[in-house]
Every structure is written in C-alpha cells, then in structure tokens.
Amino acid sequence: MKKLLLTTLFAAVAVSASAEFRWGPSASAYFGKYYWRQPLIESESQPAFMAGIMGELMIPGIGFGIDLGVNYAMHSAKFNLGAHEIWSAGGYGNVPFKLHSVEVPVHVRFKWTRMQGVEDYVAPFAYVGPVFQFHVAQSDCPAIEHPVGSVGLQFGIGAEIIKSIQISGSYIFNPTYEIRTVKLDNLSARNSGWTVNLTYLFK
C-alpha cells in the first residue's frame, strides 16, 4: 500500500513539474435567454458579454489539461411584465434587465498536439466543466430578485492559432435558477445560451 501511494505521489509530482501553465486575457460575446418555469413573463433576449482572465495548465504529450478563470459577466434581457395582470396591476410594463456576476469557470480540456507540426499553427481543442456564478448586482427592477449564486455546465470546441490565440464557441446550460420574482416564490428562471470566445495566452 505504501509503495502504491509513493508511486502515485511521485507520478503526480512528475506530471506537475512537466505541465505547462499559461494565462492571458479573455473576452466572450454571450447570446442567452431566460427560461421561466411558468409562462407568466414574456422575455426578449439581448446580447451580453463576459471578460476576464483565463489560465491553462496542459500536460505535454498527452494533450489533456485544465483551464480556469475569473470573469465579469453581464446577462441582459427585456421583460414584458405588462402582458399579464399580475404585474401590470403594479404599474410594470416593458422592463430592461441586467444581471451582473463574477464567474469562475473550471474545465477539463483536450488539445490535439500530435499532428506532425500542424499544431504549431492550428491546434483544435474541446472542453467541458462547471461555471460557478456569483451574482453581485442587478438593474433596478423591484419585481425581480436574484440569489447569491448559481451553477452552469459549459461545453465547447475551438482552435488555438500559432500557440497564442484561442477562438472557441460553447454552450452554457444552467440547471439552477438565476433570478426569481418577488411576488411569486416559485416563479424562477434559468439562463442558458451560446458564447463566442477570444483568448490570448502569453507564452
């Protein structure tokens, strides 16, 4: 048992020592939508964005690694509260809405690095993992409130160009609710959508 533990420890140390870590700025355009549990609020999608820093830790030779980051994110929509009497009675109509969050994505990724030198110019990759969202503020809309945080699942594909620039597209599925109405406790909405991302990693 001791021998197995020591072997595992040495292997982990060797992998960590040979792993390559890079980091850099990252920005994304986000095209998402709020999905309400009941059709009592009409939502109009609006584009939003995310921006922050991403770090990538890859194990040379096998192509596997992880990436994580810290992003400022804004989700945006327009709610037509005036379409239903429960909201119009309170004087609500078309309400623009923005939710501001700090997001921490953590992904497992695989990058194709054995393509006879082609990877020095273009290297495709795929990734999947959770996105931890911490909601910090929202636009002035007394009918809507947000919890402290939520969790999403992100998966995507992309390509690394000349070992520095990463371009990718992904889908974020949020199984937990992101906002809810103040008047009806059970009326909540989750936000899911597509991203287009650009990252520059320093060598």
Side-chain angles (χ1 to χ4, degrees), residues 38-115:
Q38 300 178 36
L40 294 178
I41 294 181
E42 296 180 5
S43 300
E44 179 182 335
S45 301
Q46 293 184 332
F49 71 94
M50 293 174 280
I53 296 175
M54 189 195 84
E56 179 191 78
L57 183 67
M58 299 297 297
I59 302 173
I62 65 173
F64 281 99
I66 62 172
D67 70 71
L68 53 87
V70 178
N71 298 317
Y72 161 74
M74 183 186 72
H75 291 173
S76 181
K78 183 179 289 185
F79 299 141
N80 184 9
L81 299 177
H84 296 274
E85 186 176 353
I86 188 173
W87 317 113
S88 61
Y92 294 108
N94 290 330
V95 179
F97 181 81
K98 291 180 173 60
L99 179 66
H100 306 272
S101 305
V102 175
E103 294 188 349
V104 180
V106 181
H107 301 135
V108 176
R109 61 169 45 201
F110 177 78
K111 186 186 301 180
W112 282 265
T113 57
R114 295 185 176 182
M115 297 189 298

Side-chain angles (χ1 to χ4, degrees), residues 20 22 56 58-63 110-125 158-166 201 203:
E20 179 184 6
R22 298 183 298 163
E56 179 191 78
M58 299 297 297
I59 302 173
I62 65 173
F110 177 78
K111 186 186 301 180
W112 282 265
T113 57
R114 295 185 176 182
M115 297 189 298
Q116 299 180 348
V118 177
E119 68 274 10
D120 293 338
Y121 303 96
V122 178
F125 60 84
E160 182 177 279
I161 303 171
I162 58 174
K163 292 189 174 182
S164 296
I165 301 171
Q166 293 190 354
L201 296 178
K203 296 181 179 181

Side-chain angles (χ1 to χ4, degrees), residues 147-170:
V148 174
S150 57
V151 180
L153 178 63
Q154 184 176 23
F155 50 92
I157 57 174
E160 182 177 279
I161 303 171
I162 58 174
K163 292 189 174 182
S164 296
I165 301 171
Q166 293 190 354
I167 301 173
S168 65
S170 68

